[in-house]
């Protein structure tokens, strides 16, 4: 069976993050509230510091060998700067990454890998993150990072349900933001229950029983043409044939010579629903940032022996190496083609599947989208009362 499934673009139960503006001020702050992660981000031009202003005006450059020391200096500043609380408790954010970045047309903020960076253009960006169990209700930020006392720093608060920009200054360092109440958490999609497969046909014919039923039918036809005096013996013979047919049902069975498969078969729509739900739930596991929760969520859809392979395959596909290493979150799974075949001598099916996964990550005010396509063979088998992926063979994958 080959069928094209063109569903609506399913969203993973939470809205696509709102795309903010890339850094335009000398100092910019961002706070991202995602379903299972809270991030605080800095984006700072070196020219914001008085000690770098003269170098910027003179056209000085920063060379490769200088960058590590400069980043270490800024990390020390960022580590202690601008504490954030969630619902009254300190958010113990840890450094995720710090690097020189630049603004590129259409790409937003990307790593700055130029051999020399003009001080006037040099920007350092850092991300601090902490895993969470859901959305907080209230965030309180004390922004105390001011390279110059005259600066007013815009801090953009972003969640799937909306955003807000608050201005911080030396005179107004502490502000609160109420997280929109309509922000929803992604959850596991229900997987269709395991059902018994349909048999495609018998493998043996009960020849004696079929002969007797044929005789009964023939006697009935003859009885219509025979004289009335023959009706009684013919009727007795027909009854004996009909009684004997079920009694001999288990005897004299002959295998069919033609090829009629006794392998299990499933409805196309049922297979599509199972495959889609498992793929969707596998990607949902990577909404989490805590590794143990990722594995626990994967275990609901993946057989234990395959867990590590799936974890590595999916994680590799979700990492934006060209953007400094952040992991995207998949917002859309689009099942394109499914061709399923039964598995010999056991329940389940092997499916040739093509799908698209659209992911995105937002950092430093810019949203990067990453659409990937996959072609793979999936083996799906019942484990107890639920379907699980037991084998995976990637045939082809790539960026769209």
């Amino acid at each position: 069976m080959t069928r094209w499934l063109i569903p609506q673009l399913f969203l993973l139960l939470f809205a696509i993050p709102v795309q903010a503006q890339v850094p335009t001020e000398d100092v910019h702050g961002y706070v991202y509230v995602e379903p299972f992660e809270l991030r605080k981000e800095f984006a700072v031009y070196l020219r914001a510091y008085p000690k770098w202003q003269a170098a910027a005006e003179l056209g000085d450059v920063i060379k490769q060998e200088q960058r590590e020391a400069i980043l270490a200096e800024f990390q020390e500043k960022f580590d202690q700067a601008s504490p954030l609380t969630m619902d009254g408790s300190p958010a113990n954010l840890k450094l995720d990454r710090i690097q020189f970045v630049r603004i590129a047309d259409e790409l937003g903020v990307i790593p700055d890998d130029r051999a020399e960076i003009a001080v006037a253009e040099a920007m350092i960006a850092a991300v601090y993150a902490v895993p969470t169990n859901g959305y907080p209700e209230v965030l309180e930020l004390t922004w105390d990072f001011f390279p110059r006392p005259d600066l007013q720093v815009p801090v953009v608060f972003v969640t799937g349900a909306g955003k807000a920009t608050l201005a911080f200054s030396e005179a107004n360092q502490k502000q609160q933001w109420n997280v929109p109440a309509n922000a929803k958490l992604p959850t596991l999609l229900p997987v269709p229950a395991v059902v018994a497969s349909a048999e495609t046909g018998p493998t043996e014919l009960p020849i004696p029983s079929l002969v007797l039923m044929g005789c009964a039918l023939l006697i009935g036809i003859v009885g219509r043409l025979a004289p009335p005096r023959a009706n009684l013996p013919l009727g007795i013979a027909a009854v004996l044939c009909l009684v004997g047919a079920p009694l001999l049902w288990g005897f004299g069975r002959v295998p069919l010579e033609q090829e009629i498969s006794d392998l299990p078969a499933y409805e196309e729509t049922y297979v599509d629903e199972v495959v889609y739900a498992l793929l969707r739930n596998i990607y949902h596991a990577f909404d989490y940032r805590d590794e143990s929760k990722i594995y626990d969520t994967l275990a609901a859809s993946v057989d234990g022996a395959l867990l590590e392979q799936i974890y590595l395959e999916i994680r590799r596909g979700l990492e934006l190496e060209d953007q400094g290493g952040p992991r995207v979150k998949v917002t859309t799974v689009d099942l394109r083609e499914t061709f399923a075949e039964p598995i010999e001598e056991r329940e389940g099916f092997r499916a040739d599947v093509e799908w698209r996964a659209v992911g995105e990550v937002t950092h430093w005010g810019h949203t990067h989208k990453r659409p990937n396509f996959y072609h793979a063979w999936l083996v799906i088998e019942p484990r107890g009362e639920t379907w699980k992926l037991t084998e995976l063979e990637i045939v082809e994958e790539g960026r769209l």
Side-chain angles (χ1 to χ4, degrees):
M1 66 175 175
T2 302
R3 72 187 290 266
W4 282 87
L5 180 66
I6 308 178
Q8 297 178 357
L9 294 180
F10 294 94
L11 299 181
L12 298 188
L13 302 182
F14 62 94
I16 294 175
V18 179
Q19 182 166 342
Q21 298 296 316
V22 296
T24 53
E25 305 294 331
D26 282 355
V27 179
H28 224 114
Y30 301 90
V31 176
Y32 290 103
V33 188
E34 296 188 349
F36 305 108
E37 182 181 58
L38 177 67
R39 299 197 309 276
K40 178 181 67 178
E41 304 181 355
F42 299 84
V44 181
Y45 281 98
L46 264 62
R47 62 179 185 242
Y49 279 84
K51 76 172 190 176
W52 289 98
Q53 283 180 340
E57 292 170 359
L58 292 172
D60 289 352
V61 297
I62 297 172
K63 298 182 179 181
Q64 289 281 0
E65 59 269 21
Q66 298 174 278
R67 296 183 192 182
E68 185 175 341
I70 296 173
L71 290 176
E73 176 187 343
F74 272 83
Q75 180 182 339
E76 186 176 355
K77 300 177 188 296
F78 293 152
D79 284 348
Q80 306 302 319
S82 305
L84 182 66
T85 65
M86 299 186 295
D87 298 328
S89 299
N92 299 313
L93 297 105
K94 304 297 182 183
L95 180 69
D96 182 84
R97 61 191 179 280
I98 182 171
Q99 58 200 130
F100 280 89
V101 297
R102 64 186 178 89
I103 299 174
D105 292 341
E106 299 182 358
L107 297 177
V109 181
I110 63 173
D112 195 339
D113 54 5
R114 293 176 292 179
E116 294 183 344
I117 304 172
V119 173
E121 301 174 2
M123 184 194 306
I124 292 177
V127 177
Y128 288 78
V130 63
T132 62
N133 293 321
Y135 288 106
E137 295 181 4
V138 180
L139 297 177
E140 183 174 86
L141 176 64
T142 302
W143 190 273
D144 55 10
F145 184 76
F146 297 97
R148 299 195 313 268
D150 62 313
L151 282 178
Q152 187 174 68
V153 177
V155 178
V156 183
F157 292 77
V158 183
T159 188
K163 69 172 183 176
T165 301
L166 304 181
F168 289 79
S169 65
E170 287 274 17
N172 185 25
Q173 295 187 6
K174 183 179 293 188
Q175 297 190 59
Q176 289 187 346
W177 186 59
N178 295 321
V179 179
N182 59 341
K184 295 182 180 180
L185 291 176
T187 60
L188 286 171
L189 188 69
V191 179
V194 174
V195 298
S197 57
E199 297 295 331
T200 58
T203 58
E204 297 177 329
L205 290 178
I207 298 299
S209 297
L210 292 176
V211 168
L212 288 178
M213 287 188 288
C215 289
L217 178 61
L218 182 60
I219 291 170
I221 295 172
V222 172
R224 288 179 174 273
L225 303 175
R229 64 177 179 274
N231 286 346
L232 180 60
L234 289 175
I236 294 173
V239 169
L240 291 175
C241 289
L242 291 174
V243 171
L247 295 177
L248 297 177
W249 190 263
F251 299 94
R253 301 176 71 88
V254 177
L256 289 176
E257 294 182 2
Q258 63 268 34
E259 294 182 1
I260 297 181
S261 173
D262 63 347
L263 296 175
Y266 300 90
E267 293 292 333
E268 292 183 23
T269 54
Y270 179 77
V271 169
D272 288 335
E273 290 171 1
V274 171
V275 170
Y276 175 77
L278 290 178
L279 288 175
R280 153 62 169 84
N281 289 342
I282 287 170
Y283 283 115
H284 163 58
F286 290 87
D287 290 336
Y288 294 98
R289 288 301 184 255
D290 183 274
E291 302 301 306
S292 64
K293 288 186 177 180
I294 294 176
Y295 269 95
D296 289 344
T297 308
L298 280 176
S301 305
V302 180
D303 191 61
L306 192 62
L307 271 174
E308 185 175 359
Q309 179 190 346
I310 291 290
Y311 174 83
L312 295 174
E313 288 278 1
I314 300 298
R315 179 162 184 169
R316 177 178 56 82
L318 295 180
E319 288 182 346
L320 277 176
E321 296 180 0
D322 57 339
Q323 303 297 334
R327 191 188 309 169
V328 304
K329 291 190 176 183
V330 171
T331 58
T332 303
V333 177
D334 185 8
L335 192 61
R336 308 295 293 178
E337 186 177 47
T338 304
F339 179 86
E341 61 186 23
I343 308 174
E344 231 177 304
E345 298 181 353
R346 67 183 194 266
E347 284 289 329
F349 54 91
R350 185 171 183 259
D352 184 4
V353 183
E354 293 182 10
W355 74 93
R356 294 179 182 178
V358 181
E360 61 181 34
V361 62
T362 302
H363 54 188
W364 305 313
H366 187 78
T367 298
H368 300 276
K369 290 186 178 291
R370 181 164 187 166
N372 286 357
F373 73 88
Y374 297 89
H375 176 202
W377 279 98
L378 312 179
V379 175
I380 297 172
E381 300 178 74
R383 291 292 184 262
E385 298 182 355
T386 187
W387 291 109
K388 288 194 177 184
L389 182 65
T390 60
E391 295 179 29
L392 170 69
E393 179 186 349
I394 299 291
V395 178
E396 184 182 11
E397 63 179 305
R399 295 280 300 274
L400 293 174

